Amino acid sequence: HQYTPIKRERESFEDFEAFKIMTEFWVSNAKHWCKHCKVWMQGDKVSIQKHESGKRHLETVLEYKRDKREAQQGVSKNEAEVAKQLKEIERAAAAAVAGDIASGAVRYTAAASTYGIAGKPQAGRPPPPPPRRAPP
């Protein structure tokens, strides 16, 4: 077997143009961002499935779901606590208004009877009309 050197001739103009066209339209491979693991990976289906079936990803997703559930439970506990505190405040305010009316410090009016002590309209009675403005 005899070694024959490859002749390096100048490329033809057509080959050069084909090469030039191929390099002008370079497209990058898409990347995929995992929001749970906070990592970039190849954007192809196989790489994404491999990552999502991995131990690290599954643990991170479980931790994310647990944290979200705990946060939601904390919000509902806070809302219940705020509602309880508001009821206590309204009860104390109603008792204070009733005491003021009984002592004569505050005059009892028709508007007060319509709205009651807590400030909510009584059943069966419409609220009073707004006061009229004096003509200019």
Side-chain angles (χ1 to χ4, degrees):
H1 211 74
Q2 188 179 17
Y3 174 74
T4 54
I6 299 173
K7 293 183 178 180
R8 297 205 177 242
E9 298 177 6
R10 293 185 92 183
E11 295 176 332
S12 66
F13 184 72
E14 293 83 22
D15 292 341
F16 177 73
E17 286 297 314
F19 178 75
K20 183 178 166 187
I21 290 172
M22 286 179 7
T23 59
E24 286 180 4
F25 298 104
W26 179 79
V27 178
S28 172
N29 291 335
K31 298 284 184 176
H32 175 74
W33 173 253
C34 178
K35 67 178 183 178
H36 301 292
C37 301
K38 295 179 177 49
V39 295
W40 287 101
M41 68 194 77
Q42 294 284 333
D44 58 298
K45 188 176 181 179
V46 175
S47 296
I48 295 170
Q49 286 177 344
K50 183 178 178 183
H51 170 75
E52 289 177 349
S53 64
K55 183 179 178 182
R56 176 183 173 200
H57 178 79
L58 294 175
E59 288 175 355
T60 308
V61 169
L62 286 175
E63 183 180 340
Y64 169 78
K65 289 180 178 179
R66 185 183 64 240
D67 291 346
K68 193 169 183 177
R69 183 173 48 250
E70 288 174 358
Q72 184 63 30
Q73 289 173 351
V75 167
S76 63
K77 285 181 184 177
N78 286 343
E79 288 176 355
E81 187 177 321
V82 167
K84 183 179 176 183
Q85 290 175 353
L86 284 174
K87 284 183 181 180
E88 290 175 10
I89 291 170
E90 285 180 0
R91 194 175 305 121
V97 169
D100 289 345
I101 291 172
S103 69
V106 176
R107 207 166 48 131
Y108 188 73
T109 63
S113 67
T114 301
Y115 280 97
I117 294 174
K120 296 179 182 173
Q122 299 282 331
R125 285 187 160 181
R132 294 186 178 186
R133 290 187 180 180

